[in-house]
Amino acid sequence: MTTRQFSGSTLCRGLSTTSNEQNGLIKGRKFSLRCPSFVIPERLACKDFVSNSCLSSEYINSLSPLVTRRRKPQIGIVYNQSSSGYGVESTNVQERSSSSEEEYALNSSTEVQVESSRVTINQPESSDAKHQLIMLSLPAIAGQAIEPLTQLMETAYIGRLGPVELGSAGVSITIFNNISKLFNMPLLSVATSFVAEEIAKNGKNSSLEKVIQENSTNGKPTDVVAERKQLSSVSTALLLAVGIGIFEAVALSLGRGPFLKLMGITLDSPMCIPAERFLFLRALGAPAFVVSLALQGVLRGFKDTKTPVYCLALGNLSAILLFPILMYSLKLGVTGAAISTVISQYIIAFLMIWHLNKRVILLPPKLGDLQFDVYVKSGGFLIGRTLAVLTTTTLATSMAARQGPVAMAAHQICMQVWLAVSLLTDAFAASAQALIASYSSKGDYKNVREVSNFVLKIGLLTGVSLAAILGVSFGSIATLFTKDAEVLGIVRTGILFVSASQPLNALAFIFDGLHYGVSDFAYAARSMMLVGVISSVFLIYAPSVIGLPGVWSGLALFMGLRTAAGYIRILSKSGPWWFLHKDLQSVQLAS
C-alpha cells in the first residue's frame, strides 16, 4: 500500500477545533491530536483529511476504532467505507497504561491525547468487483471445461466401439450423474455460500484482533506463525460428502438393474449387460466424486478457483491417458473407460484434500461444532430442486432411449456437447455466488448489485457467442464421436436445439448463482419444481408425436422457464433483491 507520512504538528494544526465545530461533543474545550506520525493513504491530501475530520453525529454509529486510545472518551479516526469522508467517534477500547496517563490525571488537562508511534488507516476495500469476478472466473472456466472435455473424449472413444456400446454407456453415465448429484450438487452450492460467509465474518474479527495486538505491542511486529483455520462449515461439508458418497456407491451397485429398467433398458435389450457392468464400476468411484465436487464448493468459498483447476487437470489427464490403453490395448472396451474414470476421480479427491488440509483443520475437535442443522435446512430445499432437475433430464433420456439404440446414441452426443459448452457459463455463476455471499454478509449491497449486473451481461454475451459457434461447427464436431452415418444423420437434426438454446442455458445458470449467493434456496427449489412439472408434461407427450425432436424441445422449454423464473425473482421488491430497487446511499445513511 502506497502511503504518505504526516508529521504530528501538521496533523494537530489541521484537527484543532472549537466547541462550536464539535457538535457539542466536547463543549467549551479544544482538543488536539498529538501523534509523531500517521500513515495516510497517498490519494488523501492533508486538506482533504482536515476537511473530512469533523465531528459529525451522522458518522458516530457507523465507524469502528482503528487507533490506540489513551483515555475515555477517546477519538478514533477511521475511513468510513459507506461514505467518502472520515469521521471521529468515541470508543470503549481497553486503555493503555503509561506514565503520560498519570500526568494527565494530575494536571487535569483539558486536552484529550491520542498517541501512537505508527497508526495505519486502512484504505477502503476495492470496489472493483468486476475485476474480482473476472479474476475468479478465468480459472473457474478452465476448471469447468476440463471435466466436460474429458467426458467428450470418453464419449468419442466409446463411440468408436459402436452404437450399442455408446448407448449403454450413455444411459449408465446419466444414472450415475443423477444419483451422485442428487445430494452433492446441493452440498456444493450450500458449502460455497456458507464457507464464504463464515470467512467474511471471521475476517472482521481477525482484523479487530490484529489491530488490538499491534496496539498492545506499541506498533511493533510480532512473530506469529500463521495457523490453519478452524471452520465448521468446511468440516461439515467434508463429513457429509463422505457419508453421502458411501451411500450412493451402495445404492448404485445394488440397484443398477432397477435403475436401468426405469430408464427403459429391458433385459432383452442389447444395451443391458454392458450398461450394468459400466454402472457397477462407476459406482465404485461415487465417494471420491462426491467428495471432490463438495471440496470444489469449499474452495470457491475461499475465492480460490485455481486449486481445483490443478487438481482436475491432473486427475482428468490420467483418465485421458488411460482411455486408449485400457479400452483398446487391453481390449476392455467400455469397462476400460469406466475404470479410467474411477481412477481419475480418486486422484482428484486426494489432491483436493491435500491442498485444503494446508489451510484448515479438516475435522473439528468436537461434533458439537458442526453445522449439520443449517446444512440440512438449506440443503433440503436444494435437494427438492435437484430432484426436479434430475426428474426432467432423466425423463428426457428415458424418452430418447425408447426411440431405439441409434436415436439414443445421437441423443447422447447432443447432450454431451449441449452440457459441455453451456456449463462454461456456470464458472461465472459460481464466481458470482462466492462474491455475492461475501459482500452480502458485510452489507455491501453496492458491490452485490455491481457483480449481479456485470455477470448477467457476461452470461448473455457468452450464450450468444456459443450459439453462433455451435450453429456453424456442430455438424463437424459430431463426426468426432461416431462415424455411423445413421447416427450422424439424426445428430444433424439437433443442431438447432444445441445451438439456439445456449443463451437460455447461460442465463439460467447465472440466475442460479445469484440466488445461491444471497441464500435464496427456498425460492430456487419451489420455482424449479414448478418448472419441472410443466416441462415433464411436455416431455411425456411430445416425443410420441414428433420423436426425438420432441425430447430436445422439452429440454429447451425447461431451460427457458428456468431463466424466466430467475428473472421474475430479481424483479421482486420484497425478496432478497430488494436493494436493487432502492437508493443504496439513502439506505446506508439510514442504517
Side-chain angles (χ1 to χ4, degrees):
M1 178 179 70
T2 305
T3 60
R4 177 178 297 170
Q5 298 290 335
F6 281 79
S7 65
S9 60
T10 302
L11 190 60
C12 292
R13 289 196 300 270
L15 292 179
S16 296
T17 184
T18 62
S19 59
N20 292 332
E21 297 172 305
Q22 297 176 12
N23 296 332
L25 291 180
I26 309 178
K27 292 186 177 181
R29 295 181 179 179
K30 289 186 177 181
F31 77 93
S32 63
L33 297 177
R34 298 189 297 182
C35 308
S37 64
F38 271 65
V39 181
I40 307 296
E42 184 176 10
R43 65 181 180 82
L44 184 64
C46 182
K47 180 181 179 180
D48 296 329
F49 186 87
V50 172
S51 62
N52 286 298
S53 295
C54 60
L55 285 170
S56 174
S57 60
E58 295 177 354
Y59 293 124
I60 288 177
N61 295 327
S62 62
L63 303 180
S64 60
L66 289 180
V67 181
T68 304
R69 282 85 181 168
R70 285 289 185 171
R71 295 182 61 84
K72 303 178 185 178
Q74 303 297 343
I75 308 302
I77 302 175
V78 63
Y79 186 86
N80 183 4
Q81 295 186 12
S82 63
S83 67
S84 60
Y86 282 80
V88 182
E89 68 167 354
S90 298
T91 65
N92 292 320
V93 176
Q94 181 70 32
E95 298 177 16
R96 292 175 56 192
S97 57
S98 65
S99 60
S100 61
E101 284 188 349
E102 298 175 359
E103 294 177 1
Y104 177 94
L106 294 174
N107 297 334
S108 300
S109 173
T110 60
E111 294 181 345
V112 178
Q113 300 180 348
V114 180
E115 181 177 1
S116 174
S117 61
R118 184 178 182 87
V119 181
T120 301
I121 300 179
N122 294 335
Q123 293 187 17
E125 185 177 326
S126 174
S127 61
D128 192 5
K130 296 179 181 179
H131 181 263
Q132 291 189 56
L133 179 64
I134 292 175
M135 296 307 296
L136 286 175
S137 298
L138 290 178
I141 290 174
Q144 291 286 358
I146 290 173
E147 194 162 334
L149 287 175
T150 304
Q151 292 178 359
L152 290 176
M153 293 285 292
E154 181 183 23
T155 303
Y157 279 120
I158 296 175
R160 297 180 182 277
L161 298 174
V164 174
E165 288 78 3
L166 181 59
S168 61
V171 173
S172 299
I173 291 173
T174 300
I175 295 174
F176 176 84
N177 290 340
N178 290 347
I179 298 299
S180 62
K181 291 180 181 179
L182 176 60
F183 298 102
N184 195 46
M185 292 306 296
L187 184 59
L188 182 151
S189 301
V190 172
T192 299
S193 295
F194 286 175
V195 171
E197 291 173 1
E198 187 173 5
I199 291 174
K201 293 176 182 177
N202 289 346
K204 297 179 181 179
N205 298 331
S206 298
S207 298
L208 181 58
E209 290 174 0
K210 183 178 179 181
V211 171
I212 295 175
Q213 184 181 31
E214 290 179 355
N215 292 336
S216 65
T217 59
N218 197 27
K220 297 180 180 179
T222 57
D223 297 330
V224 179
V225 180
E227 297 182 356
R228 293 184 300 164
K229 297 180 179 180
Q230 176 69 66
L231 298 177
S232 59
S233 57
V234 175
S235 303
T236 306
L238 181 59
L239 291 178
L240 285 175
V242 172
I244 292 171
I246 295 174
F247 169 78
E248 290 175 0
V250 174
L252 287 169
S253 299
L254 300 180
R256 60 186 184 277
F259 285 136
L260 289 171
K261 185 177 181 180
L262 183 64
M263 294 292 292
I265 306 299
T266 59
L267 293 176
D268 57 350
S269 172
M271 294 186 289
C272 183
I273 295 178
E276 282 193 4
R277 186 185 304 114
F278 189 91
L279 185 57
F280 174 77
L281 292 172
R282 289 294 300 269
L284 300 179
F289 181 75
V290 176
V291 168
S292 63
L293 204 56
L295 292 184
Q296 288 183 55
V298 170
L299 290 170
R300 289 175 185 175
F302 277 90
K303 297 180 184 178
D304 178 9
T305 55
K306 293 182 179 179
T307 299
V309 173
Y310 302 143
C311 299
L312 289 170
L314 291 175
N316 284 278
L317 178 61
S318 66
I320 294 174
L321 295 176
L322 289 173
F323 282 147
I325 297 175
L326 298 182
M327 293 175 65
Y328 300 135
S329 299
L330 299 181
K331 299 181 180 180
L332 295 178
V334 293
T335 301
I339 295 174
S340 302
T341 302
V342 170
I343 292 174
S344 70
Q345 288 170 342
Y346 277 98
I347 292 175
I348 294 170
F350 172 78
L351 290 175
M352 287 190 178
I353 292 174
W354 181 62
H355 279 285
L356 190 62
N357 188 55
K358 297 179 180 179
R359 300 184 180 184
V360 298
I361 300 174
L362 297 180
L363 297 179
K366 55 184 179 179
L367 294 179
D369 294 335
L370 298 176
Q371 302 178 5
F372 286 120
D373 53 343
V374 293
Y375 267 85
V376 171
K377 181 179 179 181
S378 299
F381 286 116
L382 292 189
I383 288 176
R385 178 192 177 279
T386 306
L387 277 173
V389 174
L390 296 180
T391 299
T392 305
T393 55
T394 301
L395 178 60
T397 302
S398 177
M399 298 305 294
R402 285 175 167 79
Q403 305 296 319
V406 176
M408 180 60 207
H411 176 74
Q412 176 66 9
I413 293 174
C414 290
M415 283 293 294
Q416 287 294 327
V417 176
W418 185 65
L419 290 174
V421 296
S422 62
L423 282 175
L424 293 178
T425 56
D426 191 45
F428 292 108
S431 301
Q433 178 189 355
L435 288 176
I436 289 174
S438 179
Y439 287 138
S440 61
S441 66
K442 302 174 185 177
D444 189 356
Y445 298 118
K446 178 181 178 181
N447 274 329
V448 173
R449 180 161 63 183
E450 186 175 357
V451 169
S452 303
N453 291 336
F454 184 65
V455 76
L456 283 172
K457 295 175 182 177
I458 289 290
L460 181 60
L461 178 62
T462 303
V464 173
S465 301
L466 289 173
I469 294 172
L470 289 173
V472 174
S473 61
F474 183 61
S476 301
I477 293 175
T479 59
L480 299 175
F481 302 99
T482 183
K483 300 298 183 181
D484 190 289
E486 191 175 1
V487 174
L488 289 175
I490 298 176
V491 167
R492 291 188 179 95
T493 64
I495 292 178
L496 181 63
F497 155 70
V498 174
S499 60
S501 60
Q502 289 307 314
L504 295 177
N505 296 355
L507 290 177
F509 285 120
I510 295 298
F511 279 123
D512 287 343
L514 298 184
H515 297 321
Y516 294 163
V518 295
S519 298
D520 194 10
F521 301 119
Y523 176 81
R526 297 186 182 110
S527 62
M528 186 61 71
M529 291 178 185
L530 178 60
V531 168
V533 169
I534 297 173
S535 303
S536 296
V537 171
F538 183 89
L539 284 168
I540 291 173
Y541 294 102
S544 61
V545 177
I546 58 178
L548 197 58
V551 177
W552 296 334
S553 299
L555 290 173
L557 174 65
F558 177 64
M559 300 305 293
L561 292 177
R562 284 177 62 178
T563 301
Y567 183 67
I568 290 173
R569 186 60 164 175
I570 293 291
L571 295 179
S572 175
K573 297 181 180 180
S574 58
W577 298 97
W578 58 269
F579 56 87
L580 295 180
H581 313 282
K582 301 285 186 178
D583 183 359
L584 293 183
Q585 186 174 3
S586 300
V587 171
Q588 290 176 350
L589 289 177
S591 61

